[in-house]
Structure formats: structure tokens, C-alpha cells
Amino acid sequence: MKKRTVYKTLYSRVSGKRKFIQVLLGPRQVGKTTLARQISSELKKPYHYISADLATLQDLTWIKTQWEVARSKVGKNGALLIIDEAQKIPKWSEMIKALWDEDSNKLVDLHVIILGSSPWLMQKGLTESLAGRFEIIHMPHWSYTEMKEIFNWSIDKFLYYGGYPGAVATIDQKEPSRWTNYINDSLIETTISRDILLMTQVNKPVLLRRLFQFGCLYSGQILSYTKMLGELHDAGNTTTLAHYLDLLSGAGLITDVQKFSMQKIRQRASSPKLMVLNTALMNAQSTKSFTEAREDHTYWGRVVESAVGAHLINSSKGTQIEVFYWRDNNLEIDFVLKKGSKTIAIEVKSSEFSKRPSAFEIFDKKFNPYKLLVVGASGIPLEQFLSTSIENWFN
């Protein structure tokens, strides 16, 4: 079975000396549980896997009881405890802190892996109770390279169907609605209902759902919060909208990219650029089939830009790289990467007919970037760009 790139990192940490709780964060259906089971099957130590996904049936006593089961398996090589969706139990981090510290004091060699599909909620519990006791490993959506290696996908197929390996079996040209229904019902609805609405207070759930659909419809476009509220026909405020975007971003659905500026306060005050984190999300919300989407050059251009944006954002997780866009009046740079004092400007071209923007010249004079990259037509081939580590562009 395919092993994702974070496998080696996680394996080395839980096979060595017990030091920190390992926290594996990522959206649904990216293989967190599969990875943890791959690790446990190859480690030379006993393990115990538990899941708190049925949040209403589990409590702190359940965590303590399961922890004792894992302790009973500790032998000369130690043992491993895997806790899936721990954040769905109220005050979970306080109990885990007490049990972890107890094992540390008694020199119990029990490694612990915690899996979570709600990073924003997980990090709240981690920082409040488990400070200094954990390490985070980010597990983003599957990349083009991974989908190509295991499923032999073409670049166009990846652009449309995105990076959900579990959805591959539902792709059927004779029954195109099967894939669409799977993405909408099993992935999107489950994430919104169980990872957002069930786990946090959302006063306007209808607005949150509309915002997600709006983000898919306008992926790759820059819109002010005020204009979004007008389009969504809601009497809410921009603070609520920004909060809901944070929730959707934490769940791995859509996110907001901020405008690049040398001043942080201007970045936060800018109009966001909406971006899906997996192109399957926008295409499942569309009424276009694969063939129709490919033949619609305007729509396909948005898909290409969204795929590049998702690649950059997903790849930046766990690194020191930040992702922005830049605009000055009518001039726009699709994406700007920043790492320390180095910046890289990226323009996405989906057609030979689109011209190299003069925005590069203005940006170059104003910010003196480390590199200026054109991706797509007349530039770096899209397939090559999506197959290259984001870190490599800073070398």
C-alpha cells in the first residue's frame, strides 16, 4: 500500500526513544488512520487503536480506561497507543496530559499518536493543556505526484477529480453523478456537519454552508468581505464571515489568501482571495462534467489556478513558507511565496494567448523578489510545477 511522505517522519519518532506525543493533523479522507495503522503493523511493539469519532458515546473515563489497556501491553520494546479524533471528547487534553505525565514520572514506555481532522480545535486543546509535550505533523490533501504514482492519473484527471484517493472507485463515466454525490455527501457534508457544526458554536449554519459553496464558485478570485455578505444576502458582519472562513480552512475545505505586504497590519486588512484546498470540491459543486469543464477555457483556467493555489497552500503546512497574492490597482500577481527575507512571485497561465503581465515588472521593482515564475503556457509545465516540492523554489 502507498506510504505518504510523512510516514518516515512519524515512524522514526515512535520507534525511537519516547519524548513527545505525536499529533497527526489533516482533513478527512487523506489517510491519517491508514498511515497510523501502517506504522503500527511495522513497529516491533504492541499497539492499541481507539477512535472517539462517536463523540456522544465517549467521555474522559473512556480515555482513561483505554489508556490502561495500552499500558497493559507495554513490554520490553514499549507499546503504542493511537487515539483517533480525540478532540471530540470535552476536556480531552487535560486527561491526556495527566496520563502522559503519569507515564513520564513512572518511566512507562508508551508512545502516543493522536489523529485529528479539525486542526483549529485540536490546537486549542494542545496549547491549553499539552504545551511542551507534543509535536505536530501536518498531513495535507494528496498531491498530483501521489495520485499519479498510485492511480496513474494524467494531469487533467487530477485537476478535475482532485486528491481524494477514496473517491477514485466512484469515478464512472456511465454514472457521473456517483462521484459528485460521494464528494458532496460523504466528504463535504460529513466534514461540515461533524467536524464544524457538531464541534463548535455556529450561530448561522446556513451562512457557513453558503460561504463554502460561494468559495467553490469563486475560487481564485479576490473579494471583499462586504461584497461577500452582499452576494450571500445575509445580515451578518465581516467578523462572522472571517471566523467561518477560519473554520472551513481548518477543516481542509476552502481558505482565504491574504494580500502580500511588508506590513502585517495591511495584510490582515486586505480583501481575501478565496481558494479551495482540493479541486474536487469546486468541480463537485459545479454542474460541469469532466469533458464540459475541460472544454470551457475560462472555467478550466480557474481550475488550473485553484490547483496551483491548493498545491502551494497544502505544501506550506509545517514549513516557514507563507502564501499570499499581490495586487496594485489592475495589476495582479496570482501567488507570492515568502520565506524569511526571500519572496517568489508566481503567475499562472492556462493559455498561450494570455500575455505575460506587466505586474511582474512593478513587483520586481518594488520588492526585488528572489524569483519570478510563470507556471503553465510558455513557462514551467504545470505537471512539473505540481510535482516539485515548494521548498525547492527557494534553493
Side-chain angles (χ1 to χ4, degrees), residues 257 260 312 322-326 333-338 343-346 363:
V257 179
F260 176 76
L312 296 175
E322 298 176 277
V323 182
F324 304 94
Y325 75 90
W326 179 79
I333 300 291
D334 291 327
F335 301 104
V336 177
L337 304 182
K338 185 177 186 299
T343 58
I344 297 176
I346 300 173
F363 190 87

Side-chain angles (χ1 to χ4, degrees), residues 83 133 159 218 226 235 293 299 326 332 378 384:
I83 308 176
R133 297 170 177 81
L159 291 174
Y218 289 97
T226 302
Y299 180 80
W326 179 79
E332 181 183 337
S378 303
Q384 177 185 338

Side-chain angles (χ1 to χ4, degrees), residues 86-216:
Q87 81 277 357
K88 295 192 173 178
I89 299 177
K91 299 183 179 180
W92 64 274
S93 57
E94 297 176 15
M95 174 59 74
I96 289 179
K97 173 190 174 183
L99 294 168
W100 176 265
D101 288 350
E102 186 177 325
D103 285 351
S104 297
N105 293 332
K106 294 181 179 180
L107 302 179
V108 178
D109 188 15
L110 179 63
H111 284 78
V112 177
I113 299 176
I114 299 177
L115 315 179
S117 57
S118 300
W120 47 271
L121 193 59
M122 286 288 295
Q123 289 174 327
K124 183 175 182 291
L126 293 171
T127 55
E128 287 179 352
S129 304
L130 291 168
R133 297 170 177 81
F134 68 91
E135 292 179 294
I136 291 178
I137 299 176
H138 293 278
M139 195 165 177
H141 291 280
W142 279 48
S143 67
Y144 166 62
T145 301
E146 291 172 312
M147 297 301 286
K148 179 182 178 181
E149 287 180 355
I150 193 167
F151 299 112
N152 195 31
W153 272 18
S154 66
I155 185 64
D156 284 356
K157 198 166 186 178
F158 173 76
L159 291 174
Y160 184 83
Y161 293 108
Y164 284 120
V168 174
T170 68
I171 298 174
D172 186 347
Q173 299 302 324
K174 295 181 180 179
E175 191 182 354
S177 61
R178 184 184 177 193
W179 175 82
T180 302
N181 292 337
Y182 178 83
I183 296 296
N184 288 326
D185 299 335
S186 296
L187 291 176
I188 296 172
E189 180 56 33
T190 300
T191 299
I192 291 177
S193 298
R194 300 188 66 174
D195 294 340
I196 299 180
L197 298 180
L198 184 66
M199 301 307 301
T200 190
Q201 182 177 348
V202 175
N203 295 326
K204 297 187 175 185
V206 174
L207 175 60
L208 183 138
R209 292 179 187 277
R210 287 178 180 167
L211 178 59
F212 165 73
Q213 294 168 348
F214 189 80
C216 291

Side-chain angles (χ1 to χ4, degrees), residues 6 19 33 86 94 99 122 174 199 220 278 295 318 341 344 350:
V6 299
K19 293 181 180 179
T33 303
E94 297 176 15
L99 294 168
M122 286 288 295
K174 295 181 180 179
M199 301 307 301
N278 191 318
E295 293 176 348
S341 60
I344 297 176
S350 58

Side-chain angles (χ1 to χ4, degrees), residues 30-73:
V30 297
K32 298 185 299 297
T33 303
T34 299
L35 178 64
R37 290 188 179 279
Q38 288 174 334
I39 294 285
S40 61
S41 65
E42 297 190 18
L43 277 176
K44 296 180 179 179
K45 62 178 69 177
Y47 70 93
H48 185 51
Y49 170 84
I50 59 175
S51 175
D53 204 19
L54 299 176
T56 56
L57 301 180
Q58 320 299 3
D59 55 19
L60 295 180
T61 301
W62 176 80
I63 291 181
K64 189 173 183 179
T65 300
Q66 297 301 319
W67 199 288
E68 288 295 345
V69 173
R71 283 172 173 170
S72 69
K73 296 185 177 185

